């Protein structure tokens, strides 16, 4: 059948245009379709109920942003003149998150196989995806892997894929702002794209774009402080981490834990999991496991799983890290309430990587033709530094404990 362009409706970009049948074949692989079953923002939907969008929609949006950037640069500078470069840039944008698993940032803290390693393995080892990538030429997959691994490839494509002004961020800031319902993540994408140009073999912003890029950096600042590092979301991540840790420890100890096969493989030996097994792991697998565990024989695992499923999250307290005496008092109070202190009291330091001026800073092209780094000329950008914050997570029941033990917990929690 003759090819006709595909136009997909999109809540952020209005339309996503797929004008190349090869890209359409990539989109229709099982590995890419799996991203429909992984939420873009992990547990954020427990904080912002609209945050149900998937990595699938974000990946298509990242591709569309790249497509528009390339169309603009091509008109303006003639780059990319090479069809292979165009395919590399578009497929890198489309597939950059293919290695993500369910609640992946939490998962990675418990089972230390990084999603970027999975990206590499999926691109190289998944037969269906590999078959489509090999249609370009036999070296294409390796070039794509190196590009996504930030090891090699055209500096312009690398910047567009992974820098402080990359198409990934441009899409996720707008998309996450839209779906969480916050307004401060917005910025003028079309104007930002029009401001891009290439000088000395790298992407730079035109001088007139100063305020547009400031708005983009501010959007990023607000999204991190108000959405990505929201204490309730961090607390939900902590809970998922504790569930996985408990389940893994019981499993390693030979105790009975109902386990979906892909998760069993991961718990047995994360390094030995095949790509096919990993691709079977998505949020539905994990949530199904949580349901089984909520009815299982281990009271700690059952309670933690129920807390997640029914959104009975830990309370969060912002304060300096407790002293060893304070930790001991909290652990005693936890035991008195029947909670295993190793799983029910935990702390996290959260901070934000602010705008980085060195190395990967955002270059602006002065009218004189020289380029300068953004923070050199923007006092606003220089001022956006966020201090790290310590957060203590514990069951609400501990804060309501009567008597002197409860008083001690409340004084530590400063409530
Ligand atoms: Zn992404």
């Amino acid at each position: 059948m003759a090819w006709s362009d595909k136009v997909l409706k999109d809540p952020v970009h209005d339309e996503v245009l797929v004008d190349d049948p090869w890209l359409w074949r990539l989109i229709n692989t099982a590995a890419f379709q799996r991203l429909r079953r992984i939420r873009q923002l992990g547990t954020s939907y427990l904080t912002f109920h609209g945050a149900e969008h998937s990595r699938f929609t974000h990946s298509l949006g990242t591709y569309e942003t790249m497509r528009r950037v390339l169309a603009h640069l091509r008109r303006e500078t003639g780059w990319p003149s090479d069809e292979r470069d165009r395919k590399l840039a578009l497929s890198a944008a489309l597939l950059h998150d293919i290695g993500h698993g369910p609640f992946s940032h939490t998962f990675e803290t418990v089972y230390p196989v990084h999603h970027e390693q999975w990206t590499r393995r999926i691109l190289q080892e998944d037969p269906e995806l590999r078959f489509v990538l090999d249609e370009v030429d036999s070296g294409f997959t390796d070039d794509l892997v190196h590009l996504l691994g930030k090891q090699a490839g055209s500096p312009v494509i690398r910047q567009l894929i992974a820098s402080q002004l990359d198409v990934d961020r441009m899409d996720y800031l707008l998309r996450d702002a839209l779906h969480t319902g916050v307004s401060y993540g917005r910025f003028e994408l079309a104007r930002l794209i029009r401001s891009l140009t290439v000088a000395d073999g790298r992407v730079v912003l035109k001088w007139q774009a100063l305020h547009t890029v400031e708005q983009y950096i501010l959007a990023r600042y607000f999204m991190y402080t108000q959405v990505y590092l929201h204490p309730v979301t961090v607390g939900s991540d902590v809970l998922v981490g504790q569930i996985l840790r408990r389940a893994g420890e019981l499993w390693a100890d030979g105790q009975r834990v109902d386990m979906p096969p892909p998760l069993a493989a991961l718990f047995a030996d994360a390094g030995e999991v095949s790509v096919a097994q990993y691709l079977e792991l998505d949020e539905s697998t994990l949530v199904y496991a949580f349901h089984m565990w909520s009815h299982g024989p281990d009271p700690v695992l059952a309670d933690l799983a129920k807390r997640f499923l029914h959104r009975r999250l830990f309370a969060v307290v912002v304060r300096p890290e407790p002293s060893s005496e304070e930790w001991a008092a909290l652990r005693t109070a936890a035991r008195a309430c029947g909670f295993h202190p190793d799983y029910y009291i935990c702390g996290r330091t959260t901070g934000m990587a602010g705008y980085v001026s060195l190395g990967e800073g955002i270059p602006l092209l002065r009218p004189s033709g020289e380029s300068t780094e953004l923070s050199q000329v923007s006092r606003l950008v220089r001022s956006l530094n966020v201090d790290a914050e310590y957060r203590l997570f514990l069951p609400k029941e501990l804060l309501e404990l009567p008597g002197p033990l409860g008083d001690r917990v409340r004084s530590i929690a400063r409530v």
Side-chain angles (χ1 to χ4, degrees):
M1 217 165 64
W3 164 258
S4 59
D5 292 352
K6 309 294 178 199
V7 180
L8 314 175
K9 287 301 291 178
D10 183 81
V12 172
H13 306 295
D14 187 31
E15 290 182 345
V16 171
L17 173 66
V18 184
D19 53 4
D20 179 341
W22 175 75
L23 284 159
W24 188 240
R25 286 197 285 281
L26 288 179
I27 290 169
N28 285 305
T29 56
F32 189 75
Q33 293 289 322
R34 163 183 169 272
L35 297 176
R36 290 180 187 271
R37 299 187 294 278
I38 295 173
R39 288 185 180 93
Q40 169 70 12
L41 286 184
T43 62
S44 284
Y45 68 95
L46 294 171
T47 314
F48 299 93
H49 63 257
E52 296 275 356
H53 55 302
S54 67
R55 292 208 175 266
F56 181 85
T57 68
H58 159 64
S59 298
L60 285 177
T62 305
Y63 152 78
E64 175 62 20
T65 308
M66 178 65 95
R67 194 189 67 75
R68 292 180 189 187
V69 168
L70 295 184
H72 161 75
L73 289 178
R74 180 89 186 262
R75 267 195 309 274
E76 180 124 333
T77 70
W79 184 92
S81 57
D82 179 51
E83 177 58 17
R84 192 178 189 275
D85 275 348
R86 200 183 86 91
K87 277 189 153 59
L88 262 179
L90 290 172
S91 58
L94 188 72
L95 303 174
H96 76 283
D97 276 346
I98 197 117
H100 272 285
F103 311 119
S104 48
H105 297 297
T106 309
F107 225 106
E108 285 164 12
T109 61
V110 186
Y111 293 93
V113 180
H114 201 265
H115 68 264
E116 286 170 357
Q117 276 170 271
W118 281 114
T119 297
R120 178 182 58 73
R121 283 194 60 192
I122 292 166
L123 295 176
Q124 287 173 330
E125 297 173 36
D126 177 62
E128 188 191 23
L129 191 57
R130 183 68 197 248
F131 182 80
V132 182
L133 293 173
D134 282 351
E135 286 178 27
V136 180
D137 59 56
S138 59
F140 189 82
T141 305
D142 285 344
D143 286 354
L144 185 61
V145 164
H146 291 141
L147 181 66
L148 288 172
K150 306 175 192 89
Q151 292 151 335
S154 144
V156 175
I157 305 180
R158 263 191 294 163
Q159 266 179 290
L160 293 175
I161 287 294
S163 72
Q164 298 202 70
L165 195 62
D166 61 32
V167 290
D168 179 21
R169 256 180 249 258
M170 290 182 200
D171 182 80
Y172 76 62
L173 290 174
L174 290 173
R175 193 169 299 276
D176 298 344
L178 176 74
H179 288 282
T180 51
V182 303
S183 57
Y184 30 63
R186 307 228 177 102
F187 60 91
E188 290 183 75
L189 177 64
R191 190 172 155 84
L192 194 62
I193 291 176
R194 278 199 305 276
S195 308
L196 296 172
T197 189
V198 177
D200 297 330
R202 62 178 186 151
V203 180
V204 293
L205 276 171
K206 295 175 200 165
W207 185 248
Q208 308 87 291
L210 176 59
H211 299 307
T212 309
V213 74
E214 280 182 334
Q215 188 193 23
Y216 162 82
I217 297 286
L218 258 182
R220 180 181 132 173
Y221 167 82
F222 283 126
M223 287 303 285
Y224 270 90
T225 54
Q226 306 298 306
V227 176
Y228 303 138
L229 299 178
H230 193 289
V232 173
T233 306
V234 177
S236 308
D237 286 342
V238 164
L239 182 56
V240 170
Q242 300 295 62
I243 295 170
L244 292 172
R245 189 160 73 89
R246 181 70 179 177
E249 284 167 6
L250 293 172
W251 179 257
D253 194 37
Q255 299 195 39
R256 190 174 77 77
V257 186
D258 288 325
M259 203 67 89
L263 207 53
L266 204 69
F267 279 7
D269 185 349
E272 290 296 313
V273 176
S274 70
V275 162
Q277 284 170 321
Y278 182 76
L279 289 173
E280 280 187 30
L281 194 64
D282 56 33
E283 272 184 39
S284 63
T285 325
L286 214 58
V287 172
Y288 176 55
F290 290 1
H291 273 288
M292 290 197 290
W293 298 343
S294 73
H295 301 292
D298 180 69
V300 174
L301 184 58
D303 180 67
L304 292 171
K306 276 186 202 138
R307 280 174 187 267
F308 180 81
L309 293 171
H310 308 319
R311 199 190 177 277
R312 293 202 303 269
L313 306 174
F314 291 152
V316 53
V317 172
V318 178
R319 52 147 294 155
E321 188 166 358
S323 66
S324 51
E325 185 277 321
E326 288 171 323
W327 271 119
L330 289 170
R331 291 176 67 87
T332 304
R335 278 192 214 93
C337 281
F339 295 124
H340 192 316
D342 290 353
Y343 297 95
Y344 284 82
I345 307 178
C346 32
R348 288 279 184 285
T349 301
T350 51
M352 171 196 167
Y355 172 77
V356 183
S357 57
L358 297 172
E360 291 281 339
I362 296 178
L364 269 159
L365 195 61
R366 287 182 184 275
S368 61
E370 309 221 313
S371 69
T372 186
E373 185 276 313
L374 175 61
S375 69
Q376 299 289 315
V377 289
S378 171
R379 206 192 308 203
L380 178 78
V381 167
R382 280 201 300 277
S383 70
L384 294 179
N385 280 325
V386 180
D387 292 334
E389 187 176 80
Y390 187 83
R391 289 145 174 198
L392 183 66
F393 299 95
L394 69 176
K396 289 191 176 73
E397 292 92 324
L398 277 192
L399 295 172
E400 291 155 7
L401 188 67
L405 210 47
D407 291 340
R408 184 71 188 113
V409 172
R410 284 181 286 278
S411 79
I412 293 170
R414 300 172 180 180
V415 292

